[in-house]
């Protein structure tokens, strides 16, 4: 501390220590299900209901110049989710995704038309031969607070508009919009989707996805905090390959939902319809085909976390 | 010329005396700790991590400003060094731990 340089060094050294301790404290605390904000005394676990609306299987190519022809499933779905319990002061954004899961068809030919699974074990069937493909996702950013960069800049260093035409109204409206956006504290993480189009069409490694049975839709999420580990919906102690692992016998109600996750909200089971407008078998078959997309029962609500 | 150079050197080095070093060390530790604690508590109560960030940054800047420059408060107890070869000062005047050193 005898001269300026050593004082700078000492101050920054201790500053780094303090900053890291602070970061550790914040990340440790955000793993505990405590939320002191007055509106919600404790974060309620996320709830969601998910159902399939309409499925179409069409033929297509992976890209324009590909000679490969594959079948692609468009799955429209309804989603009603309340993920507001996932947001606290240490939440940067929440990534939500809907994925379709369907069992692997154990056929070597990849014909995919025979309904029952063969006895051939598939080498890559790590998870009991389930395929999982994401059909839709979104990022829910945490709501802006009074002290974000933009709001602080707006408050203390308002942008000086050039003295030009209609400057007053311009800046006024701009600031009004900004303040309205920030004071309007809506509950984040409420998702209501009706007949939502999928972002991604899915196909199978075999290229055949029509008439595959026993598919489900699953809602998953992960929470990306400002400081600390990424939190998955399965929880930190849960094996990502599903319940029934050694660690899932841990039962800590205190750490529920941050650590252990919960049952994933799933849709009811559905079957992929036959290929749309493909071979023309018989008239009755065609009628069935046209009805096909509507056959999955739409209101199979299940899976409350 | 030598005098000027030593002045410039002093301005860059910013030396402080021993008591000043003790105070500066204490001030640095205390200010940064208090800043971190306040930043955490306020941010947690307001549920706003940006507040933690701003308070932490403000406190850090404050600490650097308080500690780094050689403020006069850090130079209130200058050490009276013996000059080498001072005439008129015998060895008998040197006192170490209450005893005169021969």
């Amino acid at each position: 501390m005898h001269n300026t340089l050593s004082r700078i060094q000492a101050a920054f050294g201790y500053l780094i220590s303090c900053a890291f301790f602070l970061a550790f404290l914040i990340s440790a605390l955000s793993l505990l299900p405590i939320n002191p904000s007055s509106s919600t005394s404790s974060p309620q676990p996320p709830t969601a209901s998910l159902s399939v609306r309409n499925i179409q299987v069409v033929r297509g190519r992976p890209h324009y110049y590909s000679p490969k022809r594959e079948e692609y499933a468009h799955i429209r779905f309804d989603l009603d989710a309340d993920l507001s319990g996932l947001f606290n002061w240490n939440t940067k954004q929440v990534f939500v995704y809907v994925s379709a899961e369907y069992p692997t068809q154990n056929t070597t030919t990849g014909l995919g038309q025979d309904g029952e699974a063969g006895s051939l074990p598939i080498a890559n069937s790590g998870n009991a031969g389930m395929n999982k493909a994401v059909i839709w996702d979104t990022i829910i950013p945490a709501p802006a607070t009074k002290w974000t960069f933009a709001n602080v800049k707006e408050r203390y260093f308002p942008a000086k508009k050039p003295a030009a035409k209609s400057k007053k109204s311009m800046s006024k409206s701009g600031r009004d919009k900004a303040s309205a956006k920030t004071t309007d504290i809506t509950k984040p993480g409420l998702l209501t989707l009706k007949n939502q189009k999928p972002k991604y069409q899915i196909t199978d490694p075999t290229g055949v996805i029509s008439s595959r049975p026993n598919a489900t839709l699953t809602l998953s999420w992960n929470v990306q905090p400002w400081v600390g580990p990424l939190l998955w919906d399965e929880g930190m102690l849960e094996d990502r390959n599903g319940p029934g692992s050694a660690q899932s016998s841990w039962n800590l109600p205190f750490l529920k939902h941050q650590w252990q996750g919960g049952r994933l909200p799933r849709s009811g089971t559905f079957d992929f319809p036959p290929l749309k407008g493909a071979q023309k078998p018989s008239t009755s078959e065609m009628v069935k085909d046209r009805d096909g997309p509507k056959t999955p029962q739409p209101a199979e609500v299940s899976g409350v976390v | 010329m030598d005098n000027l150079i030593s002045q410039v050197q002093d301005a860059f080095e910013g030396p402080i005396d021993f008591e000043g070093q003790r105070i500066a060390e204490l001030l640095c530790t205390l200010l940064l700790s208090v800043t971190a604690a306040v930043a955490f508590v306020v941010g947690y109560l307001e549920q706003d991590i940006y507040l933690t960030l701003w308070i932490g940054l403000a406190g850090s800047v404050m600490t650097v400003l308080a500690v780094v420059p050689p403020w006069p408060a850090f130079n209130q107890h200058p050490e009276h060094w013996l000059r080498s070869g001072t005439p008129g000062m015998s060895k008998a005047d040197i006192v170490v731990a209450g005893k005169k050193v021969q």
Side-chain angles (χ1 to χ4, degrees):
Chain A
M1 299 294 253
H2 61 284
N3 64 10
T4 306
L5 199 63
S6 73
R7 283 196 299 274
I8 289 175
Q9 207 157 27
F12 272 95
Y14 192 61
L15 170 62
I16 296 297
S17 298
C18 283
F20 268 86
F21 180 71
L22 201 57
F24 170 77
L25 206 63
I26 291 170
S27 67
L29 202 70
S30 62
L31 293 181
L32 304 180
I34 315 166
N35 192 354
S37 68
S38 52
S39 56
T40 51
S41 56
S42 73
Q44 69 270 40
T47 58
S49 66
L50 185 62
S51 59
V52 179
R53 196 43 104 81
N54 183 359
I55 310 167
Q56 285 185 344
V57 178
V58 296
R59 269 176 108 65
R61 287 178 280 193
H63 54 90
Y64 190 78
Y65 292 107
S66 172
K68 202 170 156 195
R69 300 275 287 169
E70 292 176 322
E71 291 175 2
Y72 290 94
H74 297 249
I75 306 172
R76 283 178 172 265
F77 60 94
D78 293 339
L79 174 65
D80 205 348
D82 180 4
L83 304 178
S84 55
L86 299 177
F87 288 86
N88 60 13
W89 71 315
N90 193 17
T91 303
K92 184 184 180 191
Q93 57 191 24
V94 174
F95 183 69
V96 188
Y97 56 102
V98 173
S99 48
E101 278 185 50
Y102 58 96
T104 301
Q105 211 136 33
N106 293 344
T107 52
T108 44
T109 57
L111 196 66
Q113 290 300 327
D114 46 350
E116 78 249 82
S119 57
L120 269 171
I122 294 280
N124 62 353
S125 62
N127 188 6
M130 287 301 278
N131 294 307
K132 192 168 183 178
V134 174
I135 61 166
W136 181 84
D137 58 38
T138 191
I139 293 171
I140 310 173
T145 62
K146 267 176 71 179
W147 294 95
T148 55
F149 284 106
N151 287 348
V152 168
K153 187 160 169 272
E154 185 69 32
R155 193 157 348 128
Y156 296 112
F157 310 100
K160 290 179 189 68
K161 296 280 180 204
K165 63 269 170 191
S166 73
K167 55 168 179 144
K168 270 282 182 269
S169 66
M170 275 293 283
S171 65
K172 229 359 178 325
S173 69
R175 204 163 313 162
D176 280 354
K177 202 182 285 171
S179 66
K181 198 172 135 202
T182 53
T183 52
D184 188 31
I185 304 288
T186 54
K187 224 169 146 192
L190 291 178
L191 288 174
T192 308
L193 304 172
K194 287 267 168 282
N195 201 11
Q196 171 65 34
K197 222 173 99 179
K199 268 191 185 176
Y200 316 109
Q201 293 92 45
I202 60 169
T203 185
D204 192 69
T206 61
V208 176
I209 203 166
S210 59
S211 306
R212 302 286 288 263
N214 291 328
T216 49
L217 290 188
T218 310
L219 180 73
S220 317
W221 61 84
N222 55 50
V223 180
Q224 300 173 25
W226 288 109
V227 190
L230 186 68
L231 294 173
W232 289 87
D233 50 350
E234 288 91 349
M236 301 182 75
L237 299 177
E238 202 77 41
D239 187 0
R240 280 195 62 77
N241 288 329
S245 65
Q247 284 172 326
S248 60
S249 60
W250 287 43
N251 191 16
L252 306 168
F254 181 54
L255 299 177
K256 206 77 186 168
H257 123 67
Q258 264 98 343
W259 285 72
Q260 289 196 291
R263 296 281 77 77
L264 303 182
R266 278 174 184 278
S267 72
T269 311
F270 62 91
D271 298 345
F272 286 103
L275 197 58
K276 195 187 177 194
Q279 62 283 80
K280 295 168 178 77
S282 66
T283 47
S284 66
E285 200 67 25
M286 269 182 72
V287 169
K288 212 175 141 208
D289 253 21
R290 206 175 303 132
D291 253 7
K294 261 111 192 164
T295 32
Q297 47 283 61
E300 196 69 42
V301 176
S302 68
V304 172
V305 180
Chain B
M1 189 61 194
D2 263 6
N3 196 19
L4 188 73
I5 285 176
S6 86
Q7 269 184 12
V8 169
Q9 197 180 359
D10 264 14
F12 270 106
E13 277 189 2
I16 57 179
D17 62 33
F18 288 125
E19 183 65 16
Q21 290 178 35
R22 198 181 65 80
I23 296 170
E25 178 99 49
L26 193 70
L27 204 63
C28 177
T29 310
L30 212 68
L31 276 176
L32 284 175
S33 303
V34 167
T35 294
V38 167
F40 177 76
V41 168
V42 172
Y44 184 71
L45 291 181
E46 291 287 315
Q47 285 288 293
D48 193 344
I49 205 163
Y50 282 100
L51 213 48
T52 304
L53 176 71
W54 295 128
I55 293 173
L57 281 179
S60 305
V61 169
M62 206 174 70
T63 307
V64 167
L65 284 183
V67 166
V68 169
W71 297 113
F74 297 148
N75 276 319
Q76 293 299 307
H77 304 273
E79 213 61 40
H80 297 294
W81 303 106
L82 294 176
R83 277 163 294 170
S84 58
T86 310
M89 178 182 279
S90 69
K91 279 186 172 176
D93 288 340
I94 301 172
V95 177
V96 173
K99 276 184 248 168
K100 285 191 175 173
V101 178
Q102 255 69 35

